[in-house]
Amino acid sequence: MSFKKETPLANAVFWAARKGNLALLQLLLNSGRVDADCRDRHDTTALMVASYSGHYNCVRELIMHGADINYQRKTGSTALFLASQQGHHDVVKLLFEFGASTEFHTKDGGTALTVASQYGHSKVVDTLLKTGANVHDRLNDGATPLFLAAQEGHVTVVRQLLSSGAKVNQAREDGTTPLWMAAQMGHSQVVKVLLLRGADRDADRQDGSTALFKAALKGHNDVIEELLKFSPSLGLLKNGSSALHAAVMGGNLQTVLLLLMADADPSLPNQDNQLPVDLTKSERILKALRPKCVNVESC
């Protein structure tokens, strides 16, 4: 965030707002020689700077001098967006008291709720939801607040959003669901919550992979254990491979063993007619696969 101003007085206002120097800010604003809504070349206002920095008293002082609460900088961010991003709950509540709106979007579609969810600020999320924020907000790529919270592993926020009506299977534009993303990132507790709330265990994205396939490829065994409780598909997926193929390619022996114990079939070829044993040189993994291998040539 740029704070460079064209005049020394405006520079001083931004400095005071950034540092939380209330006495200097009052002196400058009361002088009548500087506008409370002075802006930089990015249309950042002093109110945005104070909100981003979490300086409650400076935010209040600027509001009392007429600062535009809902003004948007060139990126589309508002003071509420920036305070929500940083988790400054007291500032968020103050902005709402003076008319801040949750409806403004950044250029990438972001809102105060999407950014608070992404960074896991549960108190801010709670306040935003109670003051009318739309739980179905979406970024330009289709990511919802729930998707962003799941991606970052914020279990409390995931629960809050689901309790407020978030759609558990709402996918991003590329077909990626919150469950798929949480599995890919290794967030087992989020995966557990999503599954218990009705997430489609076999939902695939455009490349044909499922949550189990991705977790197997990454070796996220805690995630795999949660998914296996809901009997996901162990057969061939739309991408032409199985989760066991992914586990073997990932090279994690424990992952392979988990899937074998769940009755994954090591004799099932992929779309290229390759068995799991054809995809590794690891003796330990080969040893785990071969007792069940039925293709003599591959064994």
Side-chain angles (χ1 to χ4, degrees):
M1 186 179 292
S2 173
F3 304 117
K4 185 176 181 181
K5 302 302 298 173
E6 295 180 355
T7 68
L9 284 178
N11 268 325
V13 168
F14 269 60
W15 186 90
R18 185 172 75 254
K19 295 295 185 179
N21 191 324
L22 180 62
L24 176 59
L25 184 63
Q26 289 173 327
L27 180 65
L28 292 164
L29 294 174
N30 290 332
S31 72
R33 298 175 62 191
V34 62
D35 191 336
D37 269 332
C38 57
R39 299 158 191 161
D40 69 7
R41 57 193 173 89
H42 299 294
D43 279 349
T44 307
T45 65
L47 180 62
M48 294 177 189
V49 174
S51 298
Y52 179 89
S53 302
H55 299 309
Y56 180 96
N57 290 329
C58 289
V59 170
R60 185 175 183 86
E61 189 69 22
L62 286 159
I63 293 173
M64 292 296 99
H65 276 82
D68 185 346
I69 290 179
N70 290 314
Y71 188 79
Q72 291 179 276
R73 67 195 301 248
K74 289 182 179 179
T75 61
S77 302
T78 62
L80 178 63
F81 180 96
L82 296 169
S84 298
Q85 180 186 57
Q86 298 302 307
H88 300 311
H89 185 230
D90 55 344
V91 173
V92 168
K93 291 196 297 181
L94 177 63
L95 291 168
F96 274 127
E97 288 176 18
F98 287 92
S101 173
T102 60
E103 296 181 2
F104 291 97
H105 291 71
T106 61
K107 286 186 175 181
D108 67 356
T111 63
L113 182 59
T114 60
V115 77
S117 299
Q118 179 179 357
Y119 286 95
H121 301 310
S122 58
K123 288 185 178 180
V124 173
V125 168
D126 183 61
T127 295
L128 290 169
L129 291 171
K130 287 179 179 177
T131 49
N134 185 357
V135 74
H136 305 302
D137 281 341
R138 301 181 73 181
L139 299 183
N140 294 343
D141 66 2
T144 62
L146 178 62
F147 182 96
L148 296 168
Q151 176 176 267
E152 301 301 327
H154 302 309
V155 181
T156 298
V157 174
V158 165
R159 289 195 178 102
Q160 288 174 292
L161 295 167
L162 288 169
S163 296
S164 296
K167 297 177 181 178
V168 70
N169 290 312
Q170 181 68 62
R172 204 169 54 181
E173 293 296 331
D174 63 359
T176 308
T177 64
L179 178 65
W180 190 102
M181 183 55 72
Q184 190 249 17
M185 299 300 293
H187 301 313
S188 61
Q189 289 305 304
V190 172
V191 167
K192 180 178 181 179
V193 170
L194 292 172
L195 288 168
L196 289 171
R197 295 297 186 95
D200 181 354
R201 64 192 182 279
D202 289 323
D204 52 22
R205 64 175 197 167
Q206 289 177 358
D207 64 4
S209 64
T210 62
L212 181 63
F213 182 93
K214 197 64 180 182
L217 187 63
K218 292 277 188 174
H220 296 316
N221 295 327
D222 289 345
V223 169
I224 292 170
E225 289 177 354
E226 295 298 335
L227 287 164
L228 289 175
K229 294 175 185 177
F230 288 79
S231 303
S233 174
L234 295 170
L236 286 187
L237 305 172
K238 290 180 182 178
N239 63 1
S241 287
S242 69
L244 185 58
H245 284 91
V248 172
M249 288 188 291
N252 188 310
L253 175 61
Q254 184 59 35
T255 304
V256 172
L257 292 173
L258 276 173
L259 294 174
L260 289 173
M261 286 188 289
D263 291 328
D265 185 359
S267 68
L268 181 67
N270 64 16
Q271 63 183 0
D272 297 320
N273 204 34
Q274 295 172 308
L275 297 176
V277 293
D278 299 324
L279 303 176
T280 183
K281 293 182 179 180
S282 167
E283 288 299 327
R284 297 177 70 197
I285 293 178
L286 288 170
K287 184 178 179 181
L289 292 168
R290 279 173 172 154
K292 294 185 176 182
C293 185
V294 298
N295 187 322
V296 176
E297 293 182 2
S298 295
C299 293

